[in-house]
Every structure is written in structure tokens, then in C-alpha cells.
Amino acid sequence: MSASAPEIAVIDYGMGNRRSVQKALEHVGARAAITGDPDELLVADGLVLPGVGAFPAAMANLEALGIDALLRARVAQGTPLLGICLGMQLLFESSEELETTAGLGFLAGEVTALDARDLRVPHIGWNDVLFERASRLTAGLPQAGCAFYHVHSYAARPRDAADVVGSTEYGERFATVVQRGAVFGVQFHPEKSSASGLRLLTNFASRCGDRSAQGGTRVRASA
């Protein structure tokens, strides 16, 4: 593997399909490590926040490990961060899942139950994603959109429409790709989404490579 490949940390906080994300990132040429070590998270060129499970438990784990403060410090530096599935939901201000719980607050809006109407919940399967604006994350993917693999019962409601990169429909239309600055989120699983998912991860790794080439400074998160 190239010595210039970006170093991407897949955050280990006890929730999420970490190994499959790591393998997918390695497949597209990144150096990927599963870690919850603050020293490693502070020097990575990019961060991936995976997640499977309930929002309150995920936030409790992040806070107990001090990773929430570390993420805020790194995002403030401009470090690329990609939230996947529950990880995308955690990027928002709050969620109503089980109980009202504050999120990381990188994106304005809340997470509420998916209004699937007469369709089965959780939403499991491939859905066509419509790209509503250009983004480095979706470069090279068909402008008309393409299918990605979703598994979820809740959906994020971005307050700022400019944060929405892509949306899909399952009973209702909802945001499934978001971005604000170097903070990216996808409701689906790119590591399970065949060639389109790998292209998206390639784009994220490329963005992290920009960060590596710039030699971005690191700051230590406050306790």
C-alpha cells in the first residue's frame, strides 16, 4: 500500500460494523485502523463514525470514553469526519429515539421516527438515492443518482436544506446524504453498497488525503 495513503480511524466505541468499514476503506487504498485510542484519533487524517443500535446508548458510550469532546476538537480543526447509518444521526443536535437525547450537534436538526406509512419498519434494502447538489463525497457517481443499502427505523431532519446532498424515499422522502464543510454523513451502508459505496468511500479517502498532504495541525481535546 502506498506510503502516502491517508490514515483513517474507524472509531471504536462499542457500536457499529467496524471491521466491514475498515476492510472497505483498505480496499479503496486507505490505511484504516479500528481504534478508540485518543492519541490515534488525534493524529488520523480522517475519522469514520460507524453505528448500529440505539442513539441514547451510542451517545452515552461516546461521552463515557471522551470521544465526543475529541470529535468536537477535530471537527473544529477541519478534520474530515464521515458518519455512517447511526453515525450520521449522531452528527445532529438531538434524537427522539427511546428518549430525547442530545447529539454531537455538528448539523442542525433532529432525528425522528421514519414515517414509512404502510411499509415495513425497519427499512431494510436497496433504495435509489437522488443527489440534490454537488459534493466531493458523491463525485463520479451518476448525476441521476444510484442505489445504496439502507437499514434503519429513524431519519435525520436537517434544519438547513443546504446540508442535504442526497435523499431517498421510503414512505416519505428523507435526507440520506448530508454535508457541512468537512462533516459528512450517510444513512446507508457504503461498505455494503457494492461499487457505488466503494466509490463514495474512495472520495472520502481522497478528501482525507488532502488533509494529510496539507499537514494539518492537531490539537488535544479538553478533558
Side-chain angles (χ1 to χ4, degrees):
M1 186 170 294
S2 170
S4 62
E7 297 181 0
I8 300 176
V10 180
I11 301 169
D12 184 0
Y13 65 108
M15 302 180 74
N17 48 327
R18 301 174 294 278
R19 179 59 180 152
S20 59
V21 173
Q22 179 195 33
K23 290 176 65 176
L25 286 166
E26 290 176 341
H27 183 78
V28 302
R31 291 177 288 174
I34 300 170
T35 182
D37 184 334
D39 290 335
E40 294 182 0
L41 297 176
L42 283 166
V43 299
D45 298 313
L47 303 167
V48 174
L49 181 63
V52 174
F55 192 107
M59 280 305 304
N61 286 7
L62 290 174
E63 291 166 357
L65 294 168
I67 294 175
D68 59 330
L70 187 149
L71 286 175
R72 292 186 176 98
R74 298 242 50 201
V75 165
Q77 294 175 270
T79 304
L81 169 64
L82 173 63
I84 295 176
C85 195
L86 174 61
M88 169 179 149
Q89 296 176 12
L90 295 170
L91 303 178
F92 285 84
E93 293 172 308
S94 66
S95 172
E96 68 170 20
E97 184 177 4
L98 301 180
E99 59 188 25
T100 300
T101 306
L104 293 167
F106 298 135
L107 297 168
E110 63 179 349
V111 176
T112 65
L114 179 65
D115 182 6
R117 303 186 189 278
D118 296 328
L119 300 176
R120 181 176 299 178
V121 176
H123 168 209
I124 301 176
W126 294 82
N127 264 65
D128 287 331
V129 173
L130 172 67
F131 299 132
E132 301 186 9
R133 69 169 177 89
S135 168
R136 177 76 173 271
L137 195 63
T138 57
L141 292 170
Q143 286 188 332
C146 50
F148 292 92
Y149 189 76
H150 292 72
V151 183
H152 64 116
S153 300
Y154 286 77
R157 317 295 180 179
R159 190 171 304 135
D160 188 344
D163 291 338
V164 179
V165 172
S167 64
T168 192
E169 188 165 348
Y170 188 80
E172 62 167 329
R173 182 155 290 278
F174 58 90
T176 192
V177 186
V178 294
Q179 177 192 357
R180 173 170 289 190
V183 175
F184 304 87
V186 292
Q187 181 59 66
F188 49 79
H189 288 274
E191 78 282 4
K192 297 180 180 179
S193 295
S194 191
S196 294
L198 292 176
R199 177 65 197 209
L200 186 145
L201 291 175
T202 298
N203 292 339
F204 180 71
S206 175
R207 177 65 179 81
C208 297
D210 291 348
R211 177 75 179 172
S212 176
Q214 292 167 1
T217 58
R218 277 83 174 182
V219 297
R220 185 164 298 277
S222 59

